[in-house]
Amino acid sequence: MVSPPPFEIQPMSLADVDAMLDIEERAFASNPISQAASAPLTTAETRAVARAWKRMRMSNALEGRGDSNADRHWRKVVYRPADGSAAQVVAVACWCAPAANATKPALESRPMVPAIEDAPVENRDARVLMRRLHDTLVGGWSEALMGGDRDSHYWYLDALATLPEFQQRGLGSMLVRWGIEQAKVDAKARPGRIKGVWTIATPMGLRTYLKAGMQEIGSEIFDFGKGGGENGQKYVWLLIKFDE
């Protein structure tokens, strides 16, 4: 009998919300946004309130609320130890595909309950900064690099994270390749509509995307209020454009 592989890609569900939050918190612990969001949470009570707020927003996202004109594909990598112990979610990703009836950029706005402005007062400033980062990266800069049709013609990798102890095992690459293959299938089903895939990454994760065949098309430094330049965070745009 052939043993199943230790790592398997599966669809995510509401039962995976806490696992996803844990993975993102640990994977991005050194990220400036994560540091800004967690710094004011100095007590168990404030951390619990912030966690409940994030859990509600993530549950909304998994249920398809927020983006009325983008089809989200949430996937997880499940690890099954050889000793038969409990399976574990070790990596997660979210791919966004243009919906059939998309009439405007799918990522232009993301109404969700609770709103960013309703974040716990202790880390509301960080959440507003997160909104500014998203609007700048996915909005203005991306449109300048790729044009206004990026969200109606391209699949977009919105999230990718792996537990630190499972990094360097190719799990992120698995999830990237999964989305690329799904986009290729979609391109055959919707000829002339789906043109490729794109994402935004930091230099730390750049190798994962380049290994999957994506090409760097531009980069920018985002100023987190520390003067920009060397004190800012570099973000890189990556793209695969399918042959038409």
Side-chain angles (χ1 to χ4, degrees), residues 52-151:
W53 180 86
K54 289 193 293 183
R55 184 185 295 113
M56 187 176 296
R57 281 181 61 85
M58 182 57 63
S59 297
N60 270 257
L62 278 166
E63 290 179 331
R65 301 177 191 174
D67 287 332
S68 60
N69 52 355
D71 293 330
R72 289 180 171 269
H73 301 264
W74 296 87
R75 289 298 181 276
K76 61 185 177 183
V77 174
V78 176
Y79 170 58
R80 290 190 175 85
D83 61 8
S85 54
Q88 179 184 5
V89 179
V90 297
V92 293
C94 177
W95 279 92
C96 298
N101 62 346
T103 58
K104 62 180 180 179
L107 301 174
E108 185 179 63
S109 61
R110 309 175 77 173
M112 201 177 292
V113 178
I116 287 287
E117 292 75 17
D118 295 328
V121 65
E122 291 83 4
N123 67 346
R124 188 171 298 154
D125 289 345
R127 297 299 168 185
V128 172
L129 178 61
M130 184 184 298
R131 170 67 64 80
R132 181 165 70 88
L133 173 65
H134 177 275
D135 290 347
T136 301
L137 296 183
V138 182
W141 287 350
S142 295
E143 184 166 348
L145 277 169
M146 299 183 59
D149 69 344
R150 69 196 185 283
D151 296 320

Side-chain angles (χ1 to χ4, degrees), residues 21-36:
L21 293 177
D22 289 340
I23 291 170
E24 289 193 332
E25 287 176 5
R26 294 185 57 195
F28 300 115
S30 61
N31 182 282
I33 283 286
S34 298
Q35 292 177 341

